[in-house]
Amino acid sequence: MMHMFLREGPWFRAKRRGYGTGMPIVWQGWFLLALHIALITGVAVALQGRPVAMTIAVILAGLAPMPIYRARTEGGWRWR
């Protein structure tokens, strides 16, 4: 099962305009996106009573998977 998740090839389309990753094109991309949203939500709920810690943790959780997005975007990240 793990070999299916780690298959070669892009998981996300390149954006038509701008810089970064577009929408997912395979199930691995959708899974990563759902996991990313769940991570940010979980961190925000867990640190609900501490706004400074929550802000820092949400920013870090938001930035953590960016190298995966960049590596798995067809054509890479560049300005379009």
Side-chain angles (χ1 to χ4, degrees), residues 3 5 17 20 35 37 41 46 56-57 77:
H3 70 283
F5 191 74
R17 294 181 189 90
L35 195 64
I37 292 168
T41 304
I56 293 168
W77 282 8

Side-chain angles (χ1 to χ4, degrees), residues 4-69:
M4 289 176 59
F5 191 74
L6 298 176
R7 78 169 183 87
E8 293 297 319
W11 294 353
F12 301 92
R13 290 207 190 285
K15 289 178 79 169
R16 288 180 183 245
R17 294 181 189 90
Y19 185 80
T21 297
M23 292 298 291
I25 55 176
V26 295
W27 70 268
Q28 291 95 335
W30 286 105
F31 181 78
L32 180 64
L33 183 62
L35 195 64
H36 190 190
I37 292 168
L39 174 67
I40 292 170
T41 304
V43 165
V45 169
L47 298 173
Q48 197 170 20
R50 301 188 316 218
V52 174
M54 180 177 65
T55 302
I56 293 168
V58 166
I59 290 171
L60 291 176
L63 295 175
M66 289 301 158
I68 299 171
Y69 287 121

